[in-house]
Amino acid sequence: MWLGPEEVLLAGALWVTERANPFFLLQRRRGHGKGGGLTGLLVGTLDVVLDSSARVAPYRILHQTQDSQVYWAVACGSSRKEITKHWEWLENNLLQTLSIFDNEEDITTFVKGKIHGIIAEENKNEQPQSEEDPGKFKEAELKMRKQFGMPEVEKLVNYYSCSYWKGRVPRQGWLYLTVNHLCFYSFLLGKEVTLVIQWVDVTQLEKNATLLFPECIKVSTRDSELYFSMFLNINETFKLMEQLANIAMRQLLDNESFLQDKSLPKPRKPLKNISALKRDLDARAKNECYRATFRLPKDECLDGHTDCTLWTPFNKMHIPGQMFVSNNYICFASKAGEACHLIIPLREVTIVEKADSSSVLPSPLSISTKSKMTFFFANLKDRDFLVQRISDFLQRTPSKKPCCSDREWKWNLADPGCEEVPELPSSSPLAVSPTSALSNRPVNFSAGEVPTASQGLLKLFRRNSEELLGPKGAKEKMKQESWNIHFFEYGRGMCMYRTAKTRELVQKGIPENLRGELWLLFSGAWNEMVTHPGYYADLVEKSMGKYNLATEEIERDLHRSMPEHPAFQNELGIAALRRVLTAYAFRNPTIGYCQAMNIVTSVLLLYCNEEEAFWLLVALCERMLPDYYNTRVVGALVDQGIFEELTREYLPQLSEKMQDLGVISTISLSWFLTLFLSVMPFESAVVIVDCFFYEGIKFILQVSLAILDANMEKLLQCCDEGEAMTILGRYLDNVVNRQSVSPPIPHLHALLTSGDDPPLEIDIFELIKTSYEKFSNLKADDIEQMRFKQRLKVIQSLEDTAKKSVVRAVSSDIGFSIEELEELYVVFKAKYLMSCYWGSNRAAAARRDQSLPYLEQYRIDMEQFKELFISLTPWSCGAHTPVLAGRLFRLLDENRDSLINFKEFVTGMSGMYHGDLTEKLKVLYKLHLPPALNPEETESALEATSYFTEDVTTEETQEDKERRNENGPEKEEKGTSPQDYRYYLRLWAKEKESKKETIKDLPKMSQEQFIELCKTLYNMFSEDPVEQELYHAIATVASLLLRIGEVGKKFSNRPMRKSEDCKANNAQDPVSEEESPTSEQSQNSAVEQQPQADHEDKTCGDAQPEKTQQENQTLGDGSGEGQGSPLQLLSDDETKDDMSMSSYSMVSTGSLQCEDIADDTVLVGCEGSSSAARYGSTIDTDWSISFEQILASMLTETALVNYFEKKVNILQKIKDQKKVERQFSSSSDYELSSVSG
């Protein structure tokens, strides 16, 4: 490639000049190419350690002038061919012009100008891309591609200098982190190390320090542990590795492939050696942290953040912290932990203005909201720029006030005009809900009786309780008053100052009439509801009357959701729950519906109206409890792993006992999935939910630890899991809320008593207080870090389970051992995943359906199958191998969807590796019959067209016909009514029958199909150690079989002539196997009789009339099973080869493309030249041969029998295939190789 001219002072150092003229030098790097010796090794090591560009481009061209010592590099090349092309261009286009100049400076100026012109011309089309990544980084990406053979689509994210510890010896080199791989390359004094690991194979990533490995990163896979150290910035490297491994896990979990964000803002200053992709990943990490901290919607992107101070009116102080600005929000987080958090939605902002600076308040900024609150920020570094950004975002913010028209708000201590408080006090009239129009949904009774739940069901079903007048009622009023004072001091709604005082109030329990409002605010669900007006109503309307698996499960669980509560003992509560769950299942089909969602949603509906409950459910499933409610409850398993880790850290004595009993895995799922709602009395569990919406999963973990801590002594004395579960169940049953004003709801979890002793009651507020006192030092950031570590472990464990279940499912029918099947599954899955991230249209990712059984989730197409076949097949046929692979794929693809699953793949492989000679030959035989053999492979395109238009069914074998007949009614019945079990039994019986295929069931082979079979066999033997013997054997067998076919044809020719009328009828209406009821019987009888006729050389006249009729039928079958065309020619090339040859020599030499056959090879059976004279170069359509005849002929040749009986170790093939994949580059940069002139 041409280079922008760069000065080079020492042209001879480490370079060898190969060509020269008065103005240019062509140089090669020392050590590259032939020779090199010790100097070459030293230079190679130096280039790798210093990351020299000579690794990518070992050739260069320098511009020189006679009197100057300064040289200018104008071009470089990775190969001699590339650099020679540039050299020739310079000689042809510049030498003559340069010789005219007198002044050397003018020569240099002219050359530089010319080179810049060429580069500008080349980059004209690539201008947008060239600006993205800095030059040094592009060079590193080129090195990575060259070294590891990666395709263009594999993007480098970043690269780092480090040491890889091989044994106890550190190898200094370069670590390349790409989107899908971790790669390492080192070259030290001739010793080369190349590593390539897929991120999806990583099971553990750890950053640790030991005596042997000082501050290193440990990367674990199922097979090995790798250690890397001596990083310049180990924290940055480790974070990036975590991020890339996380992306890979997401790909395994829910098929989310990585797509680069092209809409990133360009950096204000050019960033040295940082790729656009690295900026993208950094931005993603910051966005995720920002959204999690302030509970913002999933599509919110951070624009920037800056240090500042916030004036807090409640304590008259300037609190230092950071301001975060994004498209729709301005947020503030204080540096002193939880001192103050603030979220200002831009839809609420009315005025942003710069106030006058003073020594007390430098660079102040005031932001006013619709609720008449004003926020003062000061000490802003770049205030003008910040104001401009906020103004830009404000202009894009819609001015209309969503949701307010749908509700009538009544305010306590808040100014009218703010949208923020969704509370409906009990005294207010029933508000009109945006979903009230949906009450017409067809249910079992009239619309008027089933209105939409437009406020919390608790308000509609509150029984007149004496508690409201007693001490509990007074306590509730005091709580309410505390919150009213808090709202007065700290603000109400989304713009409230959130401080330690807010948390204290939440810990004491939220008053019932404020619960819905505060849950919406603390979870961030309010933001999404306000910005999506009418969304829920539309979803309910779309999902109305639709039925799928999710809706069936929802219907089944509706009456199990808090059946003890009066709100769910009538149709109003049930209908509301049905609508919310169904709407969510349609919003997020990936999750759909999962058990436990009904319990959580029913509690949300007690305190919120339907729309609010829906958005709270969205916040729970998609942000606060990620991956909890998918089909494999991965999120809950991840947090269960964290819980086990925390138990080891905080309760080490108990941890071992719990591990022995296996209790943690049993208890934690029910605790976490339902937020204790299913295991604790309702009045107590709802206080846990209060704290959860404020604190997140951190609170659930700390309460779980407090429960184990409280029961430690009893648990340590347990003998088995059942006893431990009883102790914990009894404890949770007796956690009470003495302050609840609602009448107690009977708890149906487990009414466990201990003999005559009355159970000891535990106050929920005491439990919460204890959990904060003992375990409050848990940090949200630490939990996220632990989540990553556990997610790797959980997903890889699920993948191992999937592998075992798939292998177990297929092992009974396949000849491979369990170990071989597991290795094949790994290779198969790797090939599928490669197509996901390297496929041009990413169709592979789209075709994986998580709801399918494990066996069906990974499927590969023909191209991927060909790659696997070429590397694993024991039948290597050279250039013919891809053709054979295509045929096997078509044979295995029974449902014709151009994809095969793992079972079909190993079935094909097993046919080649296992079984006796007969089984292997049967596979080979089938590969040369339809549907495996394409008509295009044996006939001209014109004949193929007429063949397909005349009679398509002739290509189908009897099995295909049966399969089609089976599939047809199945599809019809599926669409209409539920299946009858007898139908499935019949299908199963047919499936079992079809497996009992005998050699007599195989259709006959036509002459052109036989020729294709011979071609395959010749190609198969071409690289065998005993290829001459095999060639001789196959020539003998082919000649013999051709004679057998000729004799069989003579045997049936005379009766055929007698029945020309019948033949004419057949031509008009061909009788194929599928259409003739007696075809199978007639074929079988013919198969039995024909070999006998061949060997005894009977004449046609001896045949009985019955036999004649059978043979006539058989011939009709043979042509039908063949290509079905009366005149079938070879392809043009084959025809040319065959013009002057007999039909036998055609098979053994001309059409088989067997150039490797030596001149002295004997071709047996050349006495049949009369048939060549008779048929010329055309294919004989009357000729056919059966599988039994081929098998019998093959058995006469020992060489062929030995070849097919030979055992091949597939594990060795898999190992070799992995090696080939790892050795991406054919030779290293400094490998000694010959250099052409």
Side-chain angles (χ1 to χ4, degrees):
M1 60 184 278
W2 296 105
L3 300 174
E6 297 172 4
E7 272 193 35
V8 177
L9 291 174
L10 298 169
L14 309 181
W15 292 84
V16 180
T17 301
E18 295 197 336
R19 293 190 189 181
N21 61 41
F23 303 104
F24 298 102
L25 302 175
L26 189 154
Q27 295 186 324
R28 171 178 54 82
R29 188 71 165 175
R30 282 186 193 277
H32 182 83
K34 60 185 176 184
L38 183 61
T39 315
L41 292 177
L42 287 169
V43 172
T45 304
L46 203 62
D47 284 346
V48 169
V49 173
L50 299 179
D51 195 29
S52 163
S53 58
R55 277 177 59 206
V56 179
Y59 296 95
R60 70 179 182 183
I61 296 174
L62 300 180
H63 165 60
Q64 62 167 356
T65 50
Q66 290 176 353
D67 298 334
S68 172
Q69 294 301 310
V70 178
Y71 295 79
W72 297 86
V74 294
C76 67
S78 58
S79 65
R80 182 173 292 280
K81 185 179 176 184
E82 183 187 356
I83 205 71
T84 306
K85 184 180 167 189
H86 289 334
W87 179 263
E88 287 172 356
W89 188 91
L90 290 170
E91 284 193 325
N92 296 336
N93 294 284
L94 286 191
L95 279 189
Q96 201 169 353
T97 312
L98 294 178
S99 59
I100 300 168
F101 286 93
D102 297 328
N103 189 339
E104 289 185 356
E105 284 183 15
D106 292 346
I107 293 174
T108 304
T109 308
F110 179 78
V111 169
K112 285 158 88 175
K114 198 74 178 168
I115 299 299
H116 280 303
I118 295 169
I119 293 169
E121 191 64 34
E122 281 182 354
N123 290 346
K124 197 180 285 180
N125 299 328
E126 301 171 12
Q127 199 60 33
Q129 295 170 357
S130 61
E131 288 178 3
E132 278 186 11
D133 297 331
K136 185 75 177 166
F137 186 86
K138 283 186 174 178
E139 192 180 284
E141 193 163 45
L142 279 172
K143 285 175 199 165
M144 179 272 294
R145 292 228 175 90
K146 184 182 177 194
Q147 194 59 56
F148 306 104
M150 298 285 182
E152 284 284 327
V153 290
E154 183 68 358
K155 300 290 184 188
L156 179 66
V157 180
N158 214 349
Y159 61 106
Y160 301 94
S161 170
C162 70
S163 290
Y164 161 62
W165 290 79
K166 195 169 183 184
R168 297 194 174 187
V169 182
R171 297 293 180 85
Q172 186 66 28
W174 289 87
L175 183 72
Y176 296 91
L177 304 180
T178 73
V179 172
N180 303 298
H181 295 86
L182 174 153
C183 309
F184 177 83
Y185 179 74
S186 168
F187 180 90
L188 290 175
L189 300 177
K191 299 282 185 185
E192 192 175 38
V193 177
T194 305
L195 290 174
V196 179
I197 295 162
Q198 289 187 333
W199 289 117
V200 288
D201 292 335
V202 173
T203 55
Q204 198 175 11
L205 270 179
E206 282 184 302
K207 184 176 67 174
N208 49 26
T210 61
L211 289 172
L212 183 61
F213 305 117
E215 204 177 32
C216 69
I217 293 173
K218 176 184 166 188
V219 181
S220 304
T221 65
R222 288 179 180 83
D223 310 320
S224 58
E225 290 182 350
L226 311 171
Y227 293 89
F228 299 95
S229 68
M230 297 188 184
F231 290 93
L232 289 172
N233 190 341
I234 193 166
N235 292 328
E236 181 196 322
T237 312
F238 186 68
K239 272 185 186 171
L240 183 56
M241 289 166 87
E242 275 190 330
Q243 220 176 339
L244 292 166
N246 216 5
I247 289 168
M249 291 307 108
R250 287 242 71 88
Q251 193 177 30
L252 284 177
L253 177 62
D254 51 20
N255 244 22
E256 274 185 24
S257 52
F258 178 78
L259 290 170
Q260 188 179 346
D261 183 3
K262 301 286 186 185
S263 61
L264 278 180
K266 289 192 176 177
R268 295 167 72 187
K269 296 175 186 174
L271 299 167
K272 190 183 177 187
N273 293 350
I274 296 182
S275 66
L277 204 53
K278 174 74 166 63
R279 287 199 301 119
D280 178 11
L281 287 168
D282 289 346
R284 283 176 192 230
K286 285 178 183 172
N287 287 337
E288 281 168 21
C289 183
Y290 171 61
R291 289 193 292 260
T293 306
F294 299 104
R295 306 267 168 82
L296 299 176
K298 287 182 85 174
D299 55 355
E300 195 62 26
C301 293
L302 180 64
D303 187 68
H305 57 90
T306 181
D307 290 339
C308 67
T309 57
L310 171 66
W311 170 254
T312 48
F314 50 87
N315 60 1
K316 309 289 188 291
M317 285 176 68
H318 292 284
I319 297 181
Q322 281 193 317
M323 178 196 279
F324 301 85
V325 180
S326 61
N327 304 17
N328 302 296
Y329 298 89
I330 299 169
C331 301
F332 174 85
S334 59
K335 287 184 178 173
E338 307 253 338
C340 182
H341 269 209
L342 180 64
I343 301 166
I344 310 171
L346 290 181
R347 61 178 182 270
E348 279 295 289
V349 173
T350 52
I351 301 168
V352 178
E353 58 184 350
K354 294 182 275 189
D356 295 335
S357 288
S358 66
S359 55
V360 182
L361 275 180
S363 307
L365 179 69
S366 81
I367 298 175
S368 303
T369 66
K370 293 172 186 172
S371 56
K372 306 292 188 287
M373 290 180 78
T374 303
F375 304 95
F376 283 102
F377 297 92
N379 293 290
L380 290 158
K381 288 179 184 171
D382 200 344
R383 186 174 61 163
D384 293 342
F385 177 74
L386 182 67
V387 170
Q388 185 57 49
R389 291 301 287 169
I390 295 172
S391 302
D392 292 345
F393 289 136
L394 278 171
Q395 284 171 6
R396 296 179 214 159
T397 307
S399 56
K400 64 175 183 175
K401 203 161 73 171
C403 267
C404 283
S405 58
D406 296 328
R407 292 177 177 271
E408 296 170 6
W409 298 117
K410 194 167 180 180
W411 299 101
N412 287 332
L413 305 166
D415 295 308
C418 173
E419 58 163 46
E420 293 305 337
V421 186
E423 168 53 20
L424 275 168
S426 54
S427 59
S428 70
L430 191 65
V432 180
S433 165
T435 57
S436 56
L438 303 171
S439 55
N440 297 326
R441 178 186 172 89
V443 283
N444 294 334
F445 24 76
S446 66
E449 290 179 64
V450 193
T452 304
S454 53
Q455 60 176 346
L457 293 174
L458 206 59
K459 290 173 185 167
L460 300 176
F461 290 90
R462 175 175 284 151
R463 290 170 285 186
N464 292 325
S465 171
E466 294 177 7
E467 306 288 354
L468 289 170
L469 305 171
K472 288 186 179 178
K475 182 81 176 171
E476 183 79 357
K477 281 182 181 173
M478 282 173 63
K479 276 190 198 174
Q480 209 164 327
E481 193 55 37
S482 299
W483 276 98
N484 288 340
I485 293 165
H486 185 78
F487 291 148
F488 183 77
E489 288 184 6
Y490 295 85
R492 187 170 188 171
M494 193 50 74
C495 300
M496 173 170 62
Y497 293 98
R498 298 164 200 219
T499 64
K501 183 78 190 297
T502 316
R503 184 207 271 163
E504 281 173 33
L505 283 174
V506 172
Q507 284 171 34
K508 290 175 184 173
I510 298 174
E512 284 195 353
N513 65 340
L514 290 176
R515 198 160 257 145
E517 169 190 342
L518 293 174
W519 283 1
L520 282 163
L521 295 182
F522 295 147
S523 66
W526 178 244
N527 284 321
E528 291 187 274
M529 187 172 81
V530 166
T531 50
H532 295 85
Y535 177 83
Y536 172 70
D538 291 343
L539 263 185
V540 174
E541 201 171 332
K542 284 175 190 168
S543 61
M544 201 159 50
K546 303 275 175 65
Y547 296 99
N548 55 26
L549 185 61
T551 56
E552 282 177 31
E553 289 178 346
I554 289 166
E555 286 300 325
R556 191 184 61 216
D557 285 353
L558 282 176
H559 294 277
R560 303 177 191 171
S561 311
M562 295 192 69
E564 65 274 19
H565 198 286
F568 298 99
Q569 290 166 3
N570 71 78
E571 190 57 28
L572 174 63
I574 295 291
L577 185 58
R578 178 188 291 117
R579 283 193 290 271
V580 173
L581 289 173
T582 308
Y584 187 77
F586 273 80
R587 167 190 165 88
N588 191 342
T590 312
I591 291 176
Y593 170 76
C594 172
Q595 281 190 328
M597 283 169 73
N598 59 321
I599 295 169
V600 176
T601 309
S602 57
V603 173
L604 300 178
L605 279 166
L606 289 176
Y607 297 100
C608 309
N609 70 32
E610 275 183 43
E611 186 179 15
E612 292 164 350
F614 170 78
W615 286 110
L616 276 169
L617 186 62
V618 169
L620 266 177
C621 296
E622 296 174 17
R623 288 190 285 108
M624 299 188 76
L625 297 176
D627 305 321
Y628 259 60
Y629 299 105
N630 59 23
T631 47
R632 299 190 277 182
V633 292
V634 171
L637 292 170
V638 166
D639 286 347
Q640 176 186 299
I642 294 174
F643 184 42
E644 287 182 26
E645 206 174 317
L646 292 172
T647 309
R648 277 196 296 276
E649 186 180 335
Y650 289 99
L651 309 168
Q653 196 180 352
L654 185 59
S655 174
E656 284 181 39
K657 183 75 175 176
M658 298 293 273
Q659 287 295 107
D660 295 342
L661 296 176
V663 174
I664 286 186
S665 56
T666 314
I667 57 172
S668 51
L669 276 182
S670 59
W671 293 4
F672 295 166
L673 278 168
T674 63
L675 304 174
F676 288 95
L677 288 164
S678 64
V679 294
M680 234 183 230
F682 168 72
E683 307 83 38
S684 306
V686 82
V687 181
I688 299 269
V689 178
D690 290 343
C691 297
F692 164 74
F693 277 123
Y694 188 79
E695 295 273 18
I697 192 63
K698 162 184 176 297
F699 177 74
I700 300 293
L701 290 166
Q702 76 184 35
V703 167
S704 302
L705 288 169
I707 292 168
L708 291 188
D709 185 47
N711 291 280
M712 189 188 291
E713 287 181 20
K714 291 179 184 174
L715 289 170
L716 286 171
Q717 292 166 13
C718 286
C719 303
D720 57 32
E721 183 187 359
E723 191 181 346
M725 293 296 293
T726 306
I727 287 167
L728 290 168
R730 186 184 300 126
Y731 178 87
L732 290 166
D733 271 344
N734 292 296
V735 175
V736 297
N737 179 1
R738 298 191 181 95
Q739 299 175 13
S740 173
V741 290
S742 296
I745 296 165
H747 179 50
L748 304 181
H749 169 241
L751 300 171
L752 300 160
T753 55
S754 174
D756 299 327
D757 299 334
L760 182 69
E761 290 188 340
I762 303 98
D763 186 81
I764 182 65
F765 297 105
E766 282 301 315
L767 177 62
I768 289 171
K769 186 180 172 187
T770 308
S771 79
Y772 273 103
E773 284 171 358
K774 291 190 174 181
F775 308 108
S776 63
N777 54 348
L778 288 179
K779 296 282 183 291
D781 292 347
D782 296 341
I783 289 170
E784 279 309 311
Q785 184 69 31
M786 290 160 87
R787 267 182 169 171
F788 162 74
K789 184 179 169 186
Q790 292 297 331
R791 194 178 291 121
L792 274 183
K793 198 182 290 182
V794 167
I795 292 176
Q796 295 292 16
S797 157
L798 287 170
E799 288 295 311
D800 288 343
T801 308
K803 177 172 76 175
K804 283 173 186 165
S805 69
V806 168
V807 166
R808 199 164 47 244
V810 302
S811 59
S812 56
D813 308 327
I814 306 293
F816 290 117
S817 68
I818 296 290
E819 185 192 359
E820 288 170 338
L821 282 171
E822 285 186 349
E823 286 296 322
L824 280 168
Y825 181 82
V826 169
V827 171
F828 184 85
K829 183 176 127 186
K831 186 59 68 180
Y832 164 82
L833 289 171
M834 206 170 281
S835 72
C836 287
Y837 46 71
W838 284 351
S840 54
N841 55 5
R842 300 195 180 267
R847 65 176 177 248
R848 184 183 175 203
D849 184 354
Q850 294 280 351
S851 62
L852 289 173
Y854 287 134
L855 185 60
E856 293 289 335
Q857 285 192 13
Y858 296 118
R859 295 184 294 164
I860 59 174
D861 58 25
M862 188 183 282
E863 287 309 310
Q864 294 162 279
F865 177 76
K866 280 182 180 176
E867 290 169 22
L868 282 178
F869 181 89
I870 290 165
S871 58
L872 297 178
T873 180
W875 298 343
S876 182
C877 304
H880 192 64
T881 311
V883 177
L884 202 63
R887 289 177 191 166
L888 183 56
F889 183 88
R890 286 190 289 274
L891 185 68
L892 297 172
D893 182 21
E894 294 186 359
N895 59 357
R896 303 285 177 270
D897 64 351
S898 300
L899 295 169
I900 61 169
N901 63 25
F902 179 67
K903 184 172 184 178
E904 291 163 337
F905 169 70
V906 288
T907 303
M909 284 290 148
S910 182
M912 295 184 286
Y913 275 95
H914 296 285
D916 54 13
L917 171 74
T918 309
E919 290 300 314
K920 289 178 180 175
L921 279 178
K922 197 195 287 184
V923 173
L924 202 57
Y925 185 84
K926 283 182 182 177
L927 292 182
H928 296 82
L929 294 172
L933 191 73
N934 256 353
E936 289 83 353
E937 290 179 321
T938 54
E939 63 181 8
S940 68
L942 181 64
E943 286 167 334
T945 310
S946 63
Y947 163 71
F948 279 121
T949 51
E950 280 171 19
D951 186 7
V952 179
T953 58
T954 53
E955 191 180 331
E956 291 185 336
T957 60
Q958 184 66 24
E959 288 177 80
D960 297 329
K961 181 75 174 178
E962 283 174 17
R963 199 179 301 116
R964 190 156 47 81
N965 290 338
E966 286 168 15
N967 290 343
E970 183 183 356
K971 281 176 187 165
E972 285 167 24
E973 287 186 46
K974 268 187 186 171
T976 54
S977 62
Q979 300 290 348
D980 179 10
Y981 70 92
R982 285 169 298 185
Y983 169 75
Y984 285 112
L985 284 172
R986 283 198 302 275
L987 270 184
W988 180 72
K990 279 183 186 176
E991 199 176 291
K992 287 288 177 194
E993 280 171 24
S994 67
K995 285 179 183 173
K996 297 171 188 172
E997 181 191 58
T998 65
I999 56 175
K1000 289 184 179 179
D1001 298 331
L1002 292 170
K1004 285 197 163 193
M1005 186 175 267
S1006 69
Q1007 191 174 34
E1008 53 195 334
Q1009 291 163 353
F1010 177 68
I1011 290 169
E1012 286 295 327
L1013 174 62
C1014 292
K1015 276 186 190 178
T1016 302
L1017 288 166
Y1018 268 102
N1019 283 305
M1020 203 183 284
F1021 304 148
S1022 64
E1023 294 170 13
D1024 199 270
V1026 290
E1027 64 178 331
Q1028 288 304 319
E1029 288 177 43
L1030 288 166
Y1031 281 149
H1032 183 85
I1034 195 59
T1036 308
V1037 169
S1039 304
L1040 176 62
L1041 286 168
L1042 275 165
R1043 283 208 300 276
I1044 290 172
E1046 288 294 329
V1047 172
K1049 190 181 68 175
K1050 287 176 190 170
F1051 185 68
S1052 56
N1053 259 356
R1054 199 167 299 162
M1056 289 272 311
R1057 287 194 198 100
K1058 287 178 185 175
S1059 55
E1060 279 179 14
D1061 296 338
C1062 179
K1063 226 174 121 183
N1065 291 338
N1066 282 352
Q1068 289 169 6
D1069 184 19
V1071 180
S1072 64
E1073 264 186 36
E1074 294 84 22
E1075 292 158 350
S1076 167
T1078 60
S1079 63
E1080 191 177 344
Q1081 183 188 348
S1082 62
Q1083 184 182 336
N1084 289 348
S1085 61
V1087 164
E1088 287 166 14
Q1089 291 159 6
Q1090 188 155 332
Q1092 189 183 354
D1094 291 337
H1095 292 297
E1096 293 177 19
D1097 202 15
K1098 287 186 177 179
T1099 58
C1100 298
D1102 297 331
Q1104 296 169 2
E1106 180 187 334
K1107 192 168 175 183
T1108 306
Q1109 186 184 358
Q1110 286 173 342
E1111 281 161 359
N1112 186 15
Q1113 178 66 51
T1114 305
L1115 191 68
D1117 291 347
S1119 60
E1121 287 148 5
Q1123 301 308 318
S1125 171
L1127 259 183
Q1128 292 162 321
L1129 298 172
L1130 285 169
S1131 64
D1132 295 344
D1133 293 337
E1134 287 166 354
T1135 309
K1136 285 173 196 167
D1137 288 342
D1138 300 340
M1139 277 300 186
S1140 58
M1141 296 188 184
S1142 71
S1143 57
Y1144 312 130
S1145 59
M1146 167 185 77
V1147 172
S1148 53
T1149 55
S1151 67
L1152 298 179
Q1153 302 167 357
C1154 44
E1155 296 85 349
D1156 296 333
I1157 298 181
D1159 295 334
D1160 58 349
T1161 304
V1162 179
L1163 296 175
V1164 183
C1166 292
E1167 63 267 30
S1169 57
S1170 59
S1171 76
R1174 217 175 23 243
Y1175 295 102
S1177 61
T1178 62
I1179 290 296
D1180 191 341
T1181 54
D1182 297 337
W1183 189 98
S1184 65
I1185 201 90
S1186 72
F1187 175 73
E1188 288 159 300
Q1189 291 164 336
I1190 291 176
L1191 177 61
S1193 306
M1194 288 271 200
L1195 287 169
T1196 61
E1197 293 293 334
T1198 314
L1200 292 176
V1201 173
N1202 292 342
Y1203 179 85
F1204 283 104
E1205 292 286 2
K1206 182 173 60 182
K1207 296 287 181 193
V1208 182
N1209 183 2
I1210 194 163
L1211 290 175
Q1212 189 56 46
K1213 286 261 186 190
I1214 292 169
K1215 206 176 282 182
D1216 294 343
Q1217 189 243 7
K1218 285 181 179 174
K1219 276 182 190 170
V1220 169
E1221 284 187 356
R1222 292 294 173 262
Q1223 293 167 356
F1224 282 117
S1225 53
S1226 56
S1227 61
S1228 78
D1229 289 335
Y1230 301 98
E1231 197 175 339
L1232 306 181
S1233 59
S1234 60
V1235 178
S1236 55

